[in-house]
Amino acid sequence: MENNFNIQEELKKLPGQPGVYIMHDEEDHIIYVGKAVSLKNRVRQYFQSSRNKGVKIEQMVTHIRRFEYIVTDSELEALVLECNLIKEHHPKYNTMLMDDKTYPFIKVTVNEEYPRVLLARKMAKDKAKYFGPYTSAGAVRDTLDLLHRLFHIRSCNRNLPKDIGKDRPCLNYHIHQCDAPCQGYITKEEYAKYVQKVLRFLNGDYESVVKDLEEKMNIASEELEFEKAIEYRELIGSVKKIAQKQKITDSSGLDRDVLAAAAEGEDAVVQVFFIRGGKLIGRDHFYLRITKGEPLKEVLNSFIKQYYAGTPFIPTELMLEEELPDAKLLEDWLSAKRGGKVTLRVPKKGTKEKLVELAKQNAVMVLSKDKERLKREEKKTIGAVQELEELLGISGLNRMEAYDISNTNGFESVGSMIVYEKGKPKRNDYRKFKIKGIQGADDYGSMREVLTRRFVHGLKEREDDKIHGGFTVFPDIILMDGGKGQVNIAIQVLEELKLVIPVCGMVKDDNHRTRGLYYQNEEIPIDKSCEAFKLITRIQDEAHRFAIEYHRRLRGKEQVHSILDDIEGIGPARRKALMRQYMSLDKIKEASIEELMKIPSMNEKSATSVYQFFHR
């Protein structure tokens, strides 16, 4: 930290240009990030005692020890930079979105000759058609199932027409959910007609589908094909059920999000209604951590910047309960992200105003209903992290990474990396490692390889300016599933890479249960009834589960390549016999030809082959 930073002198040097300002506390933690049309005017306001700044700002200013700023070419650039910095640093006095939700799409691969209908988590620029986003993955899967039953569109990954006739038709053909274009049983033209029906259905044309099914049901009934008639009747019921969920809200056909907020103390909820093509397709709510007394328009302002910075779909209109301070700027930013005009609107009368009021009522209801649950959740997550900070004597533990190694008697070793942020698992950032450079049951060596690969990869991504790379964000602390030995391995790797990250070991007793923490060459006892202990246990269990799950899947699919497979004359049966007899590669290496020949499935030729492989 810069101890000689003179705030009053630095205020005189501020430029009158747009940009982002960053406030630091006495421990040099970033506590607030803001944007300004004029850095000179905006930053000075914080230190003018005559201004009515509000409770949050008054409290924050008492902790500011220095500030820095980044000049941008426009206020819009400042807004984008502000969003990125808030997302990266999670400043204490910025309103923070606590939820990290993603919504699924239905993807029709019209860019393929024989299109498929799939669930997609992201909207990519791949010339496919996307419908959604939808608020329920279960509803999307139900819709996909119905589409396959109705129109018999393929769901396989075969490369058509290149692979036509190369393999037998799959189960979907035999249960009448695919017309097997992979066999040439349906022409490209006929298949295209079904794809067009799928697109019309997803655009809301349910009536023509119901009418067509009713005709088929009546014909089947007249011809006494009652089982087929019942099947059509069930399909009609499924279509009507999905159509009923797509409640019409207006006739404009626009894509809209309706937003309203409710707040109490330091908790806030934003309710969002999703309207797509004029239809209400779902709703969801989001929790935010705010400063007591923060105005709702500021809550909505912060929510829009954080939520729409990460969502893949932006509607043409946001309907709000009140005017926002950055309305024009937000419109320009959202329009640039969408590639088309986006409007922020505050309806004053009619059905649109009632819809905003309904969103408001839902926000109030959710906040009231979930207040106690939120407190319990915070105690288990953020409260547990704070307890851990006190135990270790450090602060700012937002992101925690834990690692584990799994193998079968030294064979087929794999490593896992799990991530917790704010005391909650962040599964999108989990990573798996197949150990490449270590043979045998060498957990220390395997851990060294995993950590080295993880941080070397991260440093490379940072050099390449990959802001959203999988390894770019480094942890605030590394948790090792072991004591002094594991911690020292991690410290050695970090020192070699010139990285400074705290490392804490999770020490176990003789029954493999956590008894304390190993930090800075000292074992720290931990109360087993405290939330920090429960969080550590959850992290340990999760790291172990993730590693074991990956290892089992690889073994189950026989995807892990054993070094024994490279030995001439050693097939699956002899490999298993060697593993059963010697339990590790090191033992196999030490065995003589005579000892190897004693294994029932081995003969002199195969035993010699194994011996020479390890001694050449």
Side-chain angles (χ1 to χ4, degrees):
M1 178 171 172
E2 300 176 32
N3 295 317
N4 59 347
F5 190 90
N6 188 314
I7 288 179
Q8 294 304 321
E9 287 298 318
E10 295 299 326
L11 286 173
K12 296 175 185 178
K13 302 175 185 177
L14 285 165
Q17 295 169 260
V20 171
Y21 54 92
I22 304 163
M23 304 298 194
H24 294 254
D25 66 8
E26 57 189 4
E27 294 181 359
D28 214 28
H29 296 141
I30 293 174
I31 59 173
Y32 189 76
V33 175
K35 60 160 183 58
V37 181
S38 168
L39 287 165
K40 185 176 184 178
N41 295 339
R42 184 73 185 99
V43 178
R44 278 181 172 181
Q45 291 173 3
Y46 288 97
F47 303 97
Q48 293 173 357
S49 57
S50 60
R51 297 186 63 89
N52 181 17
K53 296 187 281 287
V55 177
K56 179 172 83 170
I57 300 302
E58 290 280 6
Q59 186 182 25
M60 180 191 76
V61 170
T62 62
H63 296 288
I64 296 174
R65 294 297 177 268
R66 76 176 183 95
F67 60 80
E68 57 181 314
Y69 57 87
I70 302 170
V71 175
T72 60
D73 289 332
S74 67
E75 191 183 5
L76 184 59
E77 283 187 16
L79 173 67
V80 175
L81 180 57
E82 178 196 31
C83 291
N84 290 337
L85 289 174
I86 290 172
K87 187 174 182 180
E88 181 177 353
H89 296 290
H90 299 85
K92 180 178 179 179
Y93 288 98
N94 284 98
T95 298
M96 293 304 302
L97 178 62
M98 297 169 68
D99 301 274
D100 187 17
K101 301 178 182 178
T102 58
Y103 296 101
F105 294 82
I106 291 178
K107 175 181 179 180
V108 184
T109 60
V110 293
N111 49 318
E112 298 176 342
E113 289 194 45
Y114 291 85
R116 296 168 293 153
V117 187
L118 312 165
L119 182 149
R121 286 290 177 183
K122 294 181 180 179
M123 184 186 289
K125 294 181 180 179
D126 54 5
K127 298 182 180 179
K129 284 188 179 293
Y130 289 83
F131 298 85
Y134 298 92
T135 55
S136 168
V140 170
R141 292 187 181 93
D142 289 344
T143 303
L144 291 175
D145 180 61
L146 177 61
L147 290 172
H148 288 125
R149 288 161 59 202
L150 282 172
F151 305 115
H152 301 178
I153 300 296
R154 74 187 183 103
S155 58
C156 64
N157 292 321
R158 294 181 184 180
N159 186 0
L160 303 183
K162 182 180 177 181
D163 292 342
I164 288 179
K166 286 188 177 180
D167 208 345
R168 292 178 296 176
C170 66
L171 178 63
N172 285 341
Y173 168 73
H174 297 290
I175 62 174
H176 310 297
Q177 289 194 15
C178 179
D179 286 336
C182 60
Q183 303 300 309
Y185 293 167
I186 181 173
T187 66
K188 185 177 176 181
E189 293 72 25
E190 284 296 315
Y191 190 87
K193 290 179 182 178
Y194 285 124
V195 173
Q196 289 304 312
K197 288 182 179 180
V198 167
L199 295 174
R200 287 199 297 271
F201 182 92
L202 291 172
N203 277 313
D205 181 11
Y206 308 115
E207 291 182 8
S208 63
V209 176
V210 171
K211 185 178 179 182
D212 182 49
L213 289 170
E214 285 176 342
E215 288 178 2
K216 290 179 178 179
M217 180 181 69
N218 292 333
I219 291 171
S221 182
E222 289 171 4
E223 294 177 355
L224 305 181
E225 295 181 339
F226 298 118
E227 287 187 6
K228 189 174 287 188
I230 290 171
E231 184 180 339
Y232 287 131
R233 186 185 67 189
E234 290 175 348
L235 285 172
I236 290 168
S238 297
V239 173
K240 288 182 176 179
K241 184 178 178 182
I242 285 176
Q244 192 175 11
K245 291 179 181 178
Q246 309 294 320
K247 180 183 176 183
I248 298 292
T249 58
D250 61 49
S251 57
S252 65
L254 291 178
D255 294 333
R256 289 189 172 105
D257 283 356
V258 182
L259 293 83
E264 184 177 340
E266 295 181 342
D267 297 318
V269 167
V270 173
Q271 180 79 39
V272 185
F273 287 173
F274 302 99
I275 298 172
R276 301 294 178 259
K279 301 174 180 66
L280 178 63
I281 66 165
R283 63 182 181 176
D284 209 342
H285 55 267
F286 300 83
Y287 298 103
L288 295 97
R289 170 65 59 222
I290 65 172
T291 303
K292 193 173 182 179
E294 188 166 354
L296 288 180
K297 61 183 178 182
E298 295 289 351
V299 174
L300 283 170
N301 209 61
S302 297
F303 171 79
I304 289 171
K305 286 190 284 188
Q306 292 182 64
Y307 175 69
Y308 292 101
T311 186
F313 181 85
I314 297 174
T316 55
E317 186 174 281
L318 303 186
M319 293 203 304
L320 309 166
E321 56 185 315
E322 58 181 306
E323 296 288 347
L324 302 186
D326 290 333
K328 181 63 173 67
L329 183 62
L330 288 171
E331 285 182 340
D332 293 342
W333 173 61
L334 291 169
S335 298
K337 282 181 67 68
R338 183 178 178 272
K341 179 67 176 172
V342 177
T343 305
L344 272 61
R345 194 180 306 280
V346 181
K348 301 297 184 183
K349 60 181 180 179
T351 56
K352 293 182 178 64
E353 184 191 23
K354 289 179 180 176
L355 200 56
V356 174
E357 287 178 1
L358 182 62
K360 177 73 171 182
Q361 291 170 15
N362 276 265
V364 172
M365 181 183 67
V366 169
L367 184 61
S368 174
K369 182 181 67 174
D370 285 0
K371 187 177 179 182
E372 291 304 315
R373 186 188 64 79
L374 281 170
K375 286 183 177 178
R376 291 195 301 270
E377 181 69 19
E378 182 179 345
K379 186 178 178 183
K380 288 173 58 180
T381 55
I382 298 173
V385 174
Q386 290 171 347
E387 285 184 7
L388 183 60
E389 289 176 339
E390 291 175 10
L391 273 169
L392 302 179
I394 53 179
S395 59
L397 298 186
N398 175 57
R399 180 184 174 99
M400 299 183 284
E401 291 183 3
Y403 297 83
D404 196 18
I405 302 295
S406 177
N407 60 62
T408 304
N409 299 316
F411 291 89
E412 304 173 345
S413 293
V414 298
S416 70
M417 166 185 133
I418 68 158
V419 178
Y420 269 58
E421 284 192 359
K422 297 179 183 176
K424 295 180 181 179
K426 191 178 183 185
R427 293 186 173 86
N428 287 345
D429 284 7
Y430 284 16
R431 293 293 182 269
K432 309 163 188 168
F433 301 85
K434 193 183 295 186
I435 304 302
K436 299 175 181 178
I438 302 295
Q439 296 178 8
D442 183 357
D443 283 356
Y444 285 173
S446 298
M447 186 62 74
R448 178 186 293 276
E449 178 182 324
V450 167
L451 291 169
T452 302
R453 284 165 57 186
R454 183 263 181 269
F455 287 106
V456 167
H457 199 156
L459 291 168
K460 181 67 168 60
E461 286 183 350
R462 288 185 171 192
E463 285 178 12
D464 296 340
D465 291 327
K466 290 186 179 178
I467 298 173
H468 301 297
F471 291 107
T472 305
V473 182
F474 284 0
D476 300 308
I477 191 169
I478 296 171
L479 298 171
M480 305 302 298
D481 188 30
K484 185 175 181 180
Q486 292 276 19
V487 169
N488 288 339
I489 290 293
I491 291 173
Q492 288 170 18
V493 171
L494 294 173
E495 287 177 347
E496 288 167 7
L497 298 174
K498 295 180 171 59
L499 295 173
V500 180
I501 300 171
V503 182
C504 177
M506 298 178 281
V507 185
K508 299 184 183 70
D509 59 20
D510 295 337
N511 296 317
H512 208 69
R513 292 177 299 198
T514 302
R515 71 165 187 248
L517 302 174
Y518 183 80
Y519 181 63
Q520 294 184 334
N521 296 317
E522 181 183 350
E523 184 172 326
I524 302 170
I526 184 169
D527 182 358
K528 293 184 179 181
S529 64
C530 74
E531 293 297 337
F533 177 83
K534 294 172 186 175
L535 174 62
I536 289 291
T537 302
R538 289 196 297 273
I539 291 173
Q540 260 185 325
D541 292 344
E542 180 70 352
H544 190 59
R545 178 202 65 78
F546 191 56
I548 291 292
E549 181 184 86
Y550 177 44
H551 190 254
R552 283 175 179 165
R553 185 161 68 249
L554 290 176
R555 280 186 293 144
K557 293 182 178 179
E558 297 182 351
Q559 292 176 337
V560 180
H561 180 78
S562 170
I563 192 172
L564 300 178
D565 292 329
D566 295 330
I567 304 175
E568 186 178 351
I570 302 300
R574 283 175 174 159
R575 184 186 65 178
K576 289 178 182 176
L578 283 166
M579 290 171 65
R580 278 196 301 267
Q581 179 70 25
Y582 290 105
M583 305 302 286
S584 75
L585 283 175
D586 292 334
K587 295 290 185 183
I588 296 174
K589 291 177 188 177
E590 293 169 3
S592 64
I593 294 176
E594 290 74 20
E595 289 170 334
L596 292 168
M597 286 176 59
K598 293 178 181 178
I599 299 173
S601 62
M602 300 285 286
N603 54 32
E604 184 178 358
K605 183 179 179 181
S606 59
T608 302
S609 184
V610 171
Y611 183 84
Q612 290 179 346
F613 181 85
F614 288 111
H615 293 84
R616 59 191 174 193

